[in-house]
Amino acid sequence: MFPADTYIKRRKRLIDDVKSGVILFLGNDESPMNYPANPYHFRQDSSFSYFFGLDLPGLAAVIDVDQARITVFGDDVTVEDIVWTGPLPTLRENCRKIGVENTAPSAQLENILKSAVRNNRKIHFLPPYRPENILKLQRLLGVQPDQAKSRASVPLIKAVVAQRSIKSAREVEQIETALEVSYLTHTYAFKNAKPGMYEWEIVGGMDDIVHSRGMTASFPIIFTIKGQTLHNHYHGNIMQAGNIAINDSGIESPLHYASDITRTIPIGGKFTDRQKEIYRIVLDCNTKAIDACKPGIEFRAVHALVARTVLAGLKDVGLVQGDLEEAFHAHAHTLFFPHGLGHMLGLDVHDMEDLGEDYVGYTDAIKRRPEFGWAYLRLAKALEPGHIVTIEPGIYFIPELIDRWHADKKCESFINYQKLLAYKDFGGIRIEDDVLVTEDGRRLLGQPIPKTIEDVQNLSS
Ligand code: GLY
Ligand code: MN
Ligand code: MN
């Protein structure tokens, strides 16, 4: 964990920002895979981690904002527990490390909250996403499960988002630690993915690199020759010479900060001319978008820059035609680039998505657009120093989407469907990097991972 002072300062600012009432933070519990004693790998709730740093199941915390009193609830292990777990620090010992003096057994949480409710105190909680915590809110506060998200506290969400969005030097360091391992997994995949292998052989090799450094993946690895499916987690295809494999993978640092990098690998070591044409456009989008990042620029403008670059590039290839500005306003790019350019990165890969993307990426003045493609843009608001964002343009040829648009004659004057039909077996290309917004511009985080056609081909075999 970080030094206690970090957590003390974060909680103090939270109290200042929320102003009054009682804040309830529910940490995560163990989550059973198939029976309770066989749980998934434990992952603490990210906001609990941010304010309390304790990477343990079964904890909750209450901040009485009016009295600036902070209590962490949990249970010490019994002798019977120790038979299975070995001796563990007490809650009091753990809390000292994060600057919290008051601790109490879990059983007291219910009484304290019920008395706060009786006294008409406002109870702030964040939107829950785990079933256990949804049920706890029902038991502790009488919140019906189907209302647990809508009754979350907007002032608390906004206060948490405001703090977590601006990364400190220590947090940047954590993400760069994750990126050191991303460098290793990505260069490993370039060097080792060969015709005749199953995708899972490369996924297994990357897993080894991550786990042998005591770390874990920040999300299930996307490694696929069918990259036209954006979140394809199947790893059972045999790679053939001439395929392109998308490797979208990330690492969690020791303090659970994420990296998120995508590279596209020519299986057999060489891109075809057709692949090179599309790859160059995506790389151009990636570098232009990174160069555009600076304080004050709205991320939706960077997304639009990429959308226009996709259209211009595809016009050169002959897949797009007509007036490019008109094509952009008709959303023709969304056939090829249906997702958003990027998202914030931090303790979560899609940072704070559980708190509500519109609180993280939008403002009262900048609202999410409803159209296909634009609706998936997770971040639209102006960038600020301390934001860490991903830049992840891609071009995909999704057969079902092409067929649907073609049948509907959608954007017919802007898309050369006759030529496009020959691309239905192409797959997809994505190139993703992680970028810190600085006072005067941006810094690409981590050791650069090869991405030019020449560098990528030199590394691949
Ligand atoms: N790894 C999912 C994403 O890039 O957003
Ligand atoms: Mn990614
Ligand atoms: Mn991403």
Side-chain angles (χ1 to χ4, degrees):
M1 64 182 66
F2 293 126
D5 184 46
T6 302
Y7 302 103
I8 292 170
K9 281 192 183 133
R10 289 173 177 177
R11 291 190 300 260
K12 176 159 186 344
R13 179 165 162 209
L14 188 69
I15 288 172
D16 290 345
D17 288 351
V18 173
K19 294 189 177 69
S20 71
V22 173
I23 305 173
L24 168 64
F25 281 103
L26 294 175
N28 282 340
D29 291 329
E30 296 279 18
S31 187
M33 270 195 290
N34 47 350
Y35 52 91
N38 199 24
Y40 290 104
H41 164 74
F42 174 70
R43 176 56 158 82
Q44 183 57 286
D45 173 73
S46 296
S47 292
F48 193 91
S49 275
Y50 187 83
F51 292 103
F52 296 94
L54 298 177
D55 202 6
L56 300 164
L59 301 178
V62 168
I63 302 181
D64 185 323
V65 178
D66 304 283
Q67 297 183 30
R69 183 183 167 84
I70 299 164
T71 310
V72 173
F73 295 81
D75 298 311
D76 292 335
V77 284
T78 62
V79 172
E80 288 76 15
D81 294 327
I82 286 173
V83 172
W84 301 95
T85 63
L88 295 172
T90 63
L91 182 62
R92 183 167 288 278
E93 286 163 347
N94 279 327
C95 283
R96 253 185 229 126
K97 296 178 209 155
I98 55 156
V100 171
E101 293 300 323
N102 304 313
T103 61
S106 302
Q108 287 186 19
L109 182 60
E110 189 163 349
N111 287 342
I112 285 187
L113 290 174
K114 288 204 162 139
S115 116
V117 170
R118 266 196 309 278
N119 292 329
N120 289 324
R121 310 278 310 276
K122 164 81 184 161
I123 315 276
H124 303 272
F125 58 87
L126 295 173
Y129 53 89
R130 289 225 181 166
E132 303 83 21
N133 284 345
I134 292 173
L135 292 176
K136 277 188 210 167
L137 289 174
Q138 183 176 32
R139 180 170 57 79
L140 297 169
L141 301 175
V143 174
Q144 291 307 309
D146 60 353
Q147 294 180 359
K149 281 206 168 81
S150 61
R151 285 189 50 190
S153 159
V154 173
L156 178 61
I157 292 171
K158 288 187 172 171
V160 172
V161 168
Q163 280 204 57
R164 285 183 55 189
S165 294
I166 307 297
K167 272 66 182 182
S168 67
R170 280 207 177 97
E171 292 179 290
V172 175
E173 232 171 65
Q174 283 290 315
I175 290 183
E176 291 210 283
T177 301
L179 281 164
E180 281 170 24
V181 183
S182 283
Y183 180 88
L184 299 176
T185 54
H186 276 277
T187 50
Y188 165 87
F190 274 127
K191 288 179 191 163
N192 289 279
K194 293 192 174 63
M197 291 173 80
Y198 282 100
E199 294 158 341
W200 58 51
E201 294 179 70
I202 298 304
V203 173
M206 291 198 286
D207 275 340
D208 273 354
I209 291 171
V210 179
H211 293 139
S212 64
R213 283 162 180 78
M215 298 188 206
T216 54
S218 52
F219 59 93
I221 292 176
I222 297 166
F223 185 91
T224 180
I225 54 172
K226 296 188 188 298
Q228 73 277 11
T229 301
L230 301 182
H231 283 175
N232 193 340
H233 293 124
Y234 179 71
H235 300 142
N237 297 303
I238 297 178
M239 298 179 279
Q240 313 282 359
N243 288 158
I244 41 176
I246 281 190
N247 179 12
D248 181 353
S249 48
I251 318 298
E252 249 189 43
S253 75
L255 295 191
H256 306 294
Y257 285 80
S259 63
D260 184 12
I261 297 285
T262 307
R263 290 292 183 267
T264 303
I265 304 173
I267 303 301
K270 294 270 171 287
F271 289 111
T272 64
D273 288 344
R274 192 173 78 148
Q275 289 164 349
K276 277 184 194 164
E277 282 186 324
I278 305 298
Y279 191 97
R280 276 192 204 104
I281 304 170
V282 179
L283 183 59
D284 190 30
C285 292
N286 169 283
T287 50
K288 272 193 177 134
I290 292 171
D291 290 347
C293 287
K294 61 179 180 186
I297 191 164
E298 289 177 4
F299 201 71
R300 63 182 175 179
V302 189
H303 178 85
L305 169 72
V306 164
R308 289 185 167 100
T309 307
V310 165
L311 288 172
L314 291 178
K315 186 168 183 181
D316 291 342
V317 173
L319 292 171
V320 164
Q321 59 205 11
D323 183 88
L324 289 178
E325 239 354 73
E326 284 176 24
F328 170 72
H329 289 291
H331 315 300
H333 59 278
T334 63
L335 176 57
F336 309 99
F337 172 44
H339 61 73
L341 177 62
H343 48 84
M344 287 210 189
L345 189 67
L347 279 164
D348 310 298
V349 172
H350 293 171
D351 207 23
M352 302 171 276
E353 191 174 301
D354 59 314
L355 304 184
E357 270 184 355
D358 287 357
Y359 292 113
V360 178
Y362 291 80
T363 66
D364 291 343
I366 299 177
K367 296 282 181 211
R368 187 185 291 265
R369 291 177 61 162
E371 301 92 351
F372 175 77
W374 284 99
Y376 304 134
L377 182 59
R378 302 178 191 282
L379 175 62
K381 69 187 184 187
L383 297 178
E384 294 175 43
H387 284 171
I388 296 182
V389 299
T390 65
I391 296 291
E392 49 181 302
I395 293 180
Y396 313 88
F397 296 89
I398 304 168
E400 297 78 4
L401 194 60
I402 293 171
D403 288 345
R404 165 64 75 84
W405 279 43
H406 191 201
D408 292 350
K409 302 189 184 339
K410 200 165 164 189
C411 289
E412 212 180 18
S413 53
F414 304 118
I415 291 165
N416 180 347
Y417 281 106
Q418 273 332 103
K419 183 157 187 186
L420 181 58
L421 295 180
Y423 278 72
K424 279 165 63 177
D425 62 351
F426 185 97
I429 291 176
R430 177 160 70 251
I431 306 174
E432 177 175 22
D433 285 305
D434 303 340
V435 174
L436 168 69
V437 181
T438 59
E439 292 294 335
D440 53 1
R442 92 275 338 143
R443 180 161 76 79
L444 184 71
L445 292 178
Q447 181 179 350
I449 298 171
K451 62 183 175 184
T452 64
I453 289 181
E454 195 187 9
D455 288 351
V456 161
Q457 290 192 155
N458 284 342
L459 208 53
S460 311
S461 48

